[in-house]
Amino acid sequence: MSEIVSVSGGPTKPEIIAVSLSKLGLKDGDRFADVGCGTGSVSIEAARIARNLAIYAIDARKEALLATETNFKNFGIKNARVLAGEASDILGSTESIDSIDCAFVGGTKNIDSILEKLVEKKARSIVVNAVRIETVVRTIEAMKRLDIFDEVVHVAVSRSAPIAGETMFKPENPVYIVVGKRQS
Ligand SMILES: C[S@@+](CC[C@H](N)C(=O)[O-])C[C@H]1O[C@@H](n2cnc3c(N)ncnc32)[C@H](O)[C@@H]1O
């Protein structure tokens, strides 16, 4: 089994990916956008849940794109396009992507614009991960303006760690999972 190549900010912790993808509700054949893909770990897990996904992995950082390409190759991810640049520009262009069914947003720079573009692309389900409270509030407000706000889940995970031959728990940074659904 390959080890995932990491970059700063990623990979997203597996427990956070699990809750995020369960909220997303992927279906076989969906067009899935991994916005701010970092290492691509969310796309890799998404491809285990749903068959024949068309994956659009987007990041503005060169090192993230290189890690995603390596990880996709090592984990046998097919039918994926790795797109370089500002997500709101890429999602706004009809040349790169004509429609999206579900989107995971792990990179929240320009979140208002990203959400607008995902709604224009007819996304039925959007999940945003945020650690800063200001980003959480901005995301909720933008989703309410766009009439897609569903819920926020605050996830706090503690992981076992050895101590003097026994076991203690160390807390991970809490993450807010903000969920948007198309009303219809
Ligand atoms: C926290 S990391 C994502 C981690 C990723 N989910 C993983 O599992 O590796 C956030 C990433 O989003 C990217 N990013 C943030 N805002 C962006 C934007 N507006 N457009 C493109 N990339 C963005 C950053 O470059 C960074 O690589």
Side-chain angles (χ1 to χ4, degrees), residues 9-12 36-42 58-61 64 85-87 104 106-110 114:
T12 299
C37 59
T39 60
S41 66
V42 177
I58 304 168
D59 208 292
R61 277 193 306 162
E86 163 55 42
F104 170 82
T108 52
K109 189 173 162 214
N110 299 324
I114 288 171

Side-chain angles (χ1 to χ4, degrees), residues 4-13 17 34-43 58-65 67-68 71 83-90 104-111 114 129 131:
I4 197 135
V5 173
S6 53
V7 288
S8 66
T12 299
K13 297 283 186 292
I17 297 180
D34 186 354
V35 180
C37 59
T39 60
S41 66
V42 177
S43 293
I58 304 168
D59 208 292
R61 277 193 306 162
K62 201 172 165 196
E63 62 269 34
L65 298 160
T68 296
N71 288 325
L83 301 165
E86 163 55 42
S88 55
D89 293 340
I90 292 170
F104 170 82
V105 183
T108 52
K109 189 173 162 214
N110 299 324
I111 187 64
I114 288 171
N129 278 186
V131 291

Side-chain angles (χ1 to χ4, degrees), residues 67-92:
T68 296
E69 276 165 359
T70 304
N71 288 325
F72 281 2
K73 189 163 165 265
N74 291 347
F75 284 82
I77 299 300
K78 308 244 158 50
N79 211 12
R81 284 173 64 193
V82 180
L83 301 165
E86 163 55 42
S88 55
D89 293 340
I90 292 170
L91 290 166

Side-chain angles (χ1 to χ4, degrees), residues 105 107-116 126-152 176-180:
V105 183
T108 52
K109 189 173 162 214
N110 299 324
I111 187 64
D112 300 68
S113 180
I114 288 171
L115 290 171
E116 272 171 35
I126 302 169
V127 167
V128 179
N129 278 186
V131 291
R132 298 182 214 171
I133 196 68
E134 291 83 357
T135 309
V136 177
V137 172
R138 204 173 304 135
T139 303
I140 294 171
E141 284 175 353
M143 283 189 176
K144 284 186 175 169
R145 270 198 308 279
L146 294 163
D147 200 21
I148 59 166
F149 177 70
D150 186 47
E151 64 173 343
V152 189
Y176 293 85
I177 297 174
V178 192
V179 184

